[in-house]
Amino acid sequence: MAKVEFLKCVRCGQTYSIDDVEYYCPRCGPEGTLDVMYDYSRIKQLFTKESLKTKDEYSLWRYIDLLPIERKPELLNMQVGWTPLYKAKRLEQALGLDFVYIKDDGRNPTASFKDRASAIGVAKAIELDKKIMCAASTGNAASSLSGFAACAGIPSYIFVPATAPTAKITQLLIYGANVILVDGTYDEAFEVCLQASEEFGWYNRSCAVNPYLVEGKKTVAFELMEQLNWEVPDWVVMSVGDGCCISGAWKGFTEMHELGLIDKLPKMLGVQAAMSNPVNRAFRENKNSFDYVKPETLADSISVGIPRNGLKALRALRESSGDVVDVLDIEILEAMKQMARLTGVFGEPAGVTGLAGLRKMVKENRIQQNEKVVLVVTGNGLKDIKSAMSAVNTPITIQPSLEDLKKYLI
Ligand SMILES: *Cc1c(COP(=O)(O)O)cnc(C)c1O
Ligand SMILES: [Zn+2]
């Protein structure tokens, strides 16, 4: 018996059987992203603290009972998820907070949080016998899909802005994806990819189009709760572009709540770049629509003018009594240094944007000293060394002699 009961539109609430709809709500169009709903009363018997304790699978597949995949595909054996959680003592001291944890999702196979979704997307493609996959991406979703598709032997077509960081484009090329650089923004790349996917029947990896992908992202919440021994944090902090990551994590928390595994829920804190902040503006104005601005931020992964999963993100922020802040690029670069120097975790700009937002929240007294905070670092710093280099000083050069070294030291 299939685990997924039905799909439900985030916009109009209409439900659909999994056999009737592949991507988004036919009534609402692409804004009507769908939620994957399970038979929770049945899963409640399987998905318990005790049953989890007996599992020796340390990856996202540990949570297969609550994933829309019947079984872990044999071919797809990359280690995804179950990333480390660190207590960040020195960062706590710097921020004046008692509890700060770092979840380092840059430790995934292609070095970003996106791997959680790609694993499910490719597994679903295998299940549905899809021959070709495609993705539009600011960079990481693409590099991630190309890695997982390569592992499974499925060809992929990738649409990225020509301005994506070189490391991310390199990943695509080395994994052998069909790379199409779009002379335009991510928002434009997204549209071309959606059209191509409909025209040629390619299986779309976008988390905002394909309802199953966010299911992979929710596993971060399951891991967090197991790693924190089921003690729910007060805040979970993530950067927001399209809004798939934060809404995915929120779904994980609400499902654990529904299953009786946790008795309270965290507040979600979304952090956006100031020049790419449509979700924050909609949240502040209490609206359910988004005004486009041409995004401008060095945090390429959250450089999004039209948030494709904005409604789900707003729902996560509102339902959780959470909050959103936005930060300047210079604050993101500061956070990158602070994170690296106080925790040893090197995140890409969007990966450390959460820390920049946390700093702001603490400064403005919107987060209190004794509140427990988890920061999710969504991508590895080596993916964008150009931005990292702009945050630091150039090193000195010496002649290879002790004499010369001494000149520098005094
Ligand atoms: C994609 C991405 C985000 C933002 O996720 P959304 O789902 O677009 O909000 C944040 N950080 C990194 C590193 C990403 O790759
Ligand atoms: Zn709808």
Side-chain angles (χ1 to χ4, degrees):
M1 186 182 140
K3 284 180 274 187
V4 176
E5 257 200 335
F6 56 87
L7 304 169
K8 184 171 182 207
C9 174
V10 67
R11 196 162 165 272
C12 72
Q14 179 71 37
T15 60
Y16 299 96
S17 120
I18 53 170
D19 301 322
D20 292 345
V21 172
E22 181 155 54
Y23 295 140
Y24 45 78
C25 173
R27 289 213 311 225
C28 298
E31 266 187 35
T33 54
L34 301 172
D35 272 319
V36 177
M37 305 304 284
Y38 301 81
D39 177 354
Y40 293 103
S41 59
R42 192 166 68 94
I43 289 171
K44 209 169 187 162
Q45 319 299 320
L46 304 169
F47 200 90
T48 62
K49 291 182 189 175
E50 291 68 37
S51 72
L52 287 170
K53 231 183 254 166
T54 63
K55 295 205 174 191
D56 57 5
E57 170 79 62
Y58 288 97
S59 77
L60 138 173
W61 301 112
R62 183 178 180 82
Y63 308 107
I64 186 98
D65 292 330
L66 252 180
L67 291 174
I69 302 294
E70 294 309 312
R71 70 187 65 79
K72 173 184 172 181
E74 214 177 303
L75 262 183
L76 212 57
N77 53 7
M78 287 158 96
Q79 146 77 42
V80 51
W82 201 260
T83 54
L85 180 73
Y86 305 120
K87 184 148 180 15
K89 200 101 197 115
R90 296 182 61 229
L91 188 57
E92 288 170 351
Q93 284 162 358
L95 291 167
L97 295 175
D98 296 341
F99 304 93
V100 178
Y101 291 87
I102 309 285
K103 178 81 167 153
D104 185 8
D105 252 60
R107 290 278 295 273
N108 276 304
T110 79
S112 85
F113 192 88
K114 298 290 194 291
D115 287 347
R116 295 181 184 273
S118 297
I120 300 301
V122 173
K124 200 76 198 166
I126 295 171
E127 231 177 61
L128 297 173
D129 202 24
K130 301 280 182 183
K131 302 296 183 208
I132 297 178
M133 293 190 70
C134 66
S137 166
T138 54
N140 283 334
S143 41
S144 176
L145 172 63
S146 57
F148 283 81
C151 181
I154 297 176
S156 60
Y157 283 86
I158 305 289
F159 300 81
V160 283
T163 52
T166 318
K168 297 182 186 180
I169 294 178
T170 309
Q171 283 183 295
L172 305 178
L173 295 168
I174 208 78
Y175 284 130
N178 299 295
V179 181
I180 296 148
L181 297 182
V182 178
D183 185 13
T185 61
Y186 162 63
D187 303 295
E188 292 164 315
F190 183 94
E191 292 297 340
V192 188
C193 179
L194 188 57
Q195 287 165 17
S197 134
E198 278 162 9
E199 178 91 10
F200 308 120
W202 300 341
Y203 196 51
N204 197 320
R205 182 246 169 257
S206 168
C207 289
V209 174
N210 189 323
Y212 299 109
L213 290 160
V214 174
E215 296 301 292
K217 294 192 167 183
K218 76 187 183 185
T219 57
V220 73
F222 303 157
E223 288 173 24
L224 271 173
M225 291 324 306
E226 282 204 86
Q227 289 170 317
L228 289 170
N229 202 18
W230 303 98
E231 198 182 329
V232 182
D234 296 293
W235 293 93
V236 174
V237 187
M238 303 175 80
S239 60
V240 175
D242 273 327
C244 308
C245 293
I246 199 162
S247 50
W250 176 243
K251 186 164 192 276
F253 285 111
T254 56
E255 285 184 343
M256 282 184 286
H257 195 253
E258 167 95 33
L259 295 172
L261 295 170
I262 52 178
D263 54 13
K264 63 170 228 179
L265 288 160
K267 289 174 276 192
M268 303 302 290
L269 173 62
V271 186
Q272 294 212 285
M275 300 297 281
S276 175
N277 66 346
V279 174
N280 192 14
R281 280 181 288 131
F283 184 80
R284 299 267 152 250
E285 292 160 24
N286 211 10
K287 288 199 311 199
N288 278 326
S289 58
F290 304 94
D291 300 321
Y292 178 78
V293 259
K294 193 170 182 319
E296 241 169 281
T297 169
L298 62 76
D300 61 290
S301 302
I302 49 171
S303 183
V304 174
I306 305 165
R308 302 292 174 167
N309 228 335
L311 291 178
K312 274 194 194 175
L314 284 175
R315 188 179 63 183
L317 295 161
R318 288 174 185 151
E319 278 182 10
S320 74
S321 312
D323 210 337
V324 205
V325 270
D326 54 42
V327 294
L328 302 170
D329 278 2
I330 185 166
E331 296 172 305
I332 295 174
L333 291 178
E334 263 318 300
M336 187 188 290
K337 281 194 288 190
Q338 189 179 39
M339 176 78 80
R341 291 171 190 191
L342 297 181
T343 73
V345 174
F346 178 20
E348 67 160 269
V352 300
T353 297
L355 173 56
L358 175 62
R359 281 172 63 156
K360 192 163 176 180
M361 291 289 284
V362 171
K363 207 166 128 203
E364 295 175 1
N365 272 319
R366 291 152 76 184
I367 288 187
Q368 307 311 314
Q369 179 182 343
N370 62 355
E371 292 190 286
K372 287 195 176 60
V373 178
V374 174
L375 274 171
V376 183
V377 175
T378 43
N380 188 289
L382 291 175
K383 280 177 168 279
D384 180 9
I385 50 172
K386 199 162 139 247
S387 293
M389 284 303 274
S390 74
V392 294
N393 301 321
T394 0
I396 55 130
T397 308
I398 62 162
Q399 295 307 308
S401 75
L402 191 58
E403 270 326 80
D404 213 41
L405 173 65
K406 282 182 178 166
K407 266 193 249 161
Y408 161 71
L409 290 177
I410 39 166

